[in-house]
Amino acid sequence: MLENRFQWRNRELREHTSVIDGKVSPTIVLKNGTYLNTYTKQWQKTNIWIMRDRIVYVGDELPEQCAYAEVVDCEGKYLVPGYIEPHAHPFQLYNPEAFAMHGASYGTTAYINDNLIWNFLLNKKKAFSMLGALEHLPVSMYWWARFDSQTALKDEEELFSTDNVLSWLEQPSVIQGGELTSWPSLLDGDDRLLYWIQEAKRLGMPVEGHLPGASEHTLTKMKLLGVSADHEAITGQEVMQRLQLGYQVGLRYSSIRPDLPVLIEELLAEGLQSFDHLMMTTDGSTPGFYENGIMNVCVEIAIEKGIPLADAYRMASHNAANYYGLIEELGCIAPGRLANINILQHKADPHPISVLSKGEWIGKSDAEKQPSQKVDWASHDIRPIAFTWDLTMEDMQFSVPLGLYLKNDVIIKAYAINTDVTVDIIPSNTDDAFLMLMDRNGQWRVNTAIKGFTNRLGALVSSYSTTGDIVFIGKSKQDMLLAWKRMKELGGGIVIAHDGEILFELPLTLSGSMFAGSITDLMEKEKDLKQLLKDFGYPFRDPIYTILFLSSTHLPYIRVTQQGIIDVKKREVLFPAIMR
């Protein structure tokens, strides 16, 4: 089988050289365009020949054989490499296919993706089959291999075993280890984690860190232990420190941390002149943040803030490809590379008027912005959840004295619950509410309270969470039961109920975590959800991230997890989960 694959690839490469010899017609010719050579950082007049998904020629000549070629005159147009999102979490309500194809219509044609959700939803065989299916999209999809769950699981050792981690690292489309949210364990002597990092490095892969607020000593030790990059810097000084220590640095522009404009201003004020080790990332933002695209928006900010034009485009293409060892595939317009090309109206306008991805037109018209094929999710066991258990009033017994206090969208502190939570309805004169995390399979639960999320909402029930377990938040136990019943009927989703009425529902029929429709429809649903929660007293910007990160132990200070209520800093279970 391997020999057949090599024979097929050999024939393909011979065909490419036959195009140069004039024996075979290319499939597309882009003539008279001006392209950015990302190696020399120069704009040059050129003709580009493409054979199916590959660029075979860039230069002054036109092909001798053109009988079967689509010839596109790019006179007055500017051509840059397809953009790369180097740090994607492609399952923030949306699914990877919808996210990638939406981004491709705005010029982001390659993605380096988090694999966390597949660890929770699928066994290895099904997960690897899913990666194969996504490779057939007309975009380039690559993956990380997570070393930790960024929460406290009941079966952490089993899910993130050496066998599982190494199996992920050996997958052809996996090109990175991390992101490493469990770095404190590494510093504390976790040699199993260090072994996984060494294996990733042995395979030629970088390892992505997650090092918010790290000191110079911590950054130095993490570099010594094998961490290659970090995207958590929130000041220009922190970026400079990472660059000086030899890190590749991702500048973040996300719905939670839209830091990119200020970071660039501060870097330029610091006198930075080399941008080759900088990338930009949107770091898994919520759907509405992508209304105008993905990396094209980041490039626009970089240009507006004064990054030299060639470097701004390289930060969204060449730099990422070079860092990940993909420069022979992506990140530049040159022979042998995938035909991922953005055609621009103006040199300093990064929003493409047409997009080529793997040699297919993505953005020539609105009709062509739709995915060219749909993933058969059900064949990979991604389908509506068939709940085999039910919720009862007995499950909603709240007596724990400690609750979670939202300080902002994602930072949570512990607080002593003074409100009576033994009642069926918590009064609206307080911003306390019931909070319950229920096992996806109905085997355990964690009951507490949350302060600062709402002052009067009856209930929100969500199967969208860090681990895919069920989150319940609300003032009324009866509304919680009502919202649960509807969410169960949907097979997963987010449902809001109040005063005995369903006010909102977002079906997440792809394993209870992802929306099956278009990202445009999802954006409208998200807007409605945010407005509704705001009307019911949610005071922050992003309730989607609040729900997602309730269980995320890479953030301070207290979380509700499969193990129970966790003190993140002490890594202690304060109140354990209750078996049903």
Side-chain angles (χ1 to χ4, degrees), residues 182-186 188 566-573:
S182 61
W183 59 271
S185 298
L186 180 64
D188 286 348
I566 296 280
D567 181 314
V568 173
K569 187 173 182 180
K570 294 180 180 178
R571 300 182 217 174
E572 291 181 0
V573 178

Side-chain angles (χ1 to χ4, degrees), residues 32-73:
N32 301 327
T34 300
Y35 89 109
L36 175 63
N37 187 311
T38 52
Y39 283 94
T40 66
K41 301 186 182 181
Q42 294 175 314
W43 296 89
Q44 298 173 285
K45 194 83 170 180
T46 195
N47 299 309
I48 300 170
W49 311 353
I50 295 164
M51 187 64 182
R52 288 188 288 274
D53 65 340
R54 296 281 169 168
I55 299 167
V56 296
Y57 175 84
V58 181
D60 296 332
E61 299 179 16
L62 287 170
E64 294 178 27
Q65 285 278 355
C66 240
Y68 302 105
E70 177 188 2
V71 180
V72 180
D73 193 345

Side-chain angles (χ1 to χ4, degrees), residues 31-263:
K31 68 176 186 178
N32 301 327
T34 300
Y35 89 109
L36 175 63
N37 187 311
T38 52
Y39 283 94
T40 66
K41 301 186 182 181
Q42 294 175 314
W43 296 89
Q44 298 173 285
K45 194 83 170 180
T46 195
N47 299 309
I48 300 170
W49 311 353
I50 295 164
M51 187 64 182
R52 288 188 288 274
D53 65 340
R54 296 281 169 168
I55 299 167
V56 296
Y57 175 84
V58 181
D60 296 332
E61 299 179 16
L62 287 170
E64 294 178 27
Q65 285 278 355
C66 240
Y68 302 105
E70 177 188 2
V71 180
V72 180
D73 193 345
C74 296
E75 183 70 42
K77 303 298 189 296
Y78 298 88
L79 283 63
V80 297
Y83 308 137
I84 301 170
E85 168 51 275
H87 186 91
H89 301 270
F91 36 76
Q92 310 296 37
L93 296 181
Y94 39 75
N95 65 72
E97 179 187 25
F99 174 68
M101 294 308 301
H102 172 76
S105 69
Y106 291 91
T108 304
T109 54
Y111 301 82
I112 320 299
N113 297 304
D114 186 0
N115 75 321
L116 185 61
I117 196 169
W118 306 135
N119 286 282
F120 293 137
L121 298 183
L122 300 172
N123 62 41
K124 280 193 302 184
K125 184 177 180 180
K126 286 290 185 181
F128 298 157
S129 175
M130 172 59 69
L131 302 196
L134 290 167
E135 284 182 6
H136 293 293
L137 295 174
V139 289
S140 301
M141 299 288 273
Y142 299 92
W143 298 88
W144 324 340
R146 280 271 192 170
F147 296 159
D148 59 83
S149 65
Q150 74 179 34
T151 186
L153 302 176
K154 286 188 171 293
D155 56 351
E156 180 92 24
E157 295 293 319
E158 179 182 340
L159 203 59
F160 288 89
S161 66
T162 293
D163 179 63
N164 283 346
V165 169
L166 297 188
S167 293
W168 272 98
L169 287 173
E170 291 165 0
Q171 290 304 300
S173 59
V174 171
I175 60 171
Q176 170 177 270
E179 69 182 284
L180 193 63
T181 55
S182 61
W183 59 271
S185 298
L186 180 64
L187 290 181
D188 286 348
D190 187 337
D191 278 340
R192 187 177 70 152
L193 191 52
L194 183 56
Y195 169 61
W196 296 344
I197 292 172
Q198 290 182 75
E199 281 299 288
K201 305 290 274 192
R202 183 183 65 81
L203 293 167
M205 297 182 192
V207 174
E208 174 77 8
H210 182 98
L211 306 169
S215 67
E216 181 185 32
H217 280 187
T218 295
L219 289 169
T220 299
K221 286 190 283 187
M222 296 305 293
K223 201 75 182 71
L224 291 171
L225 293 170
V227 174
S228 315
D230 186 63
H231 61 284
E232 291 291 332
I234 61 172
T235 68
Q237 187 176 15
E238 289 183 355
V239 174
M240 291 295 290
Q241 188 177 52
R242 285 159 171 75
L243 290 172
Q244 289 161 359
L245 290 171
Y247 282 86
Q248 184 86 3
V249 181
L251 306 182
R252 184 164 46 192
Y253 186 64
S254 74
S255 54
I256 288 291
R257 299 281 338 180
D259 297 325
L260 181 62
V262 172
L263 290 176

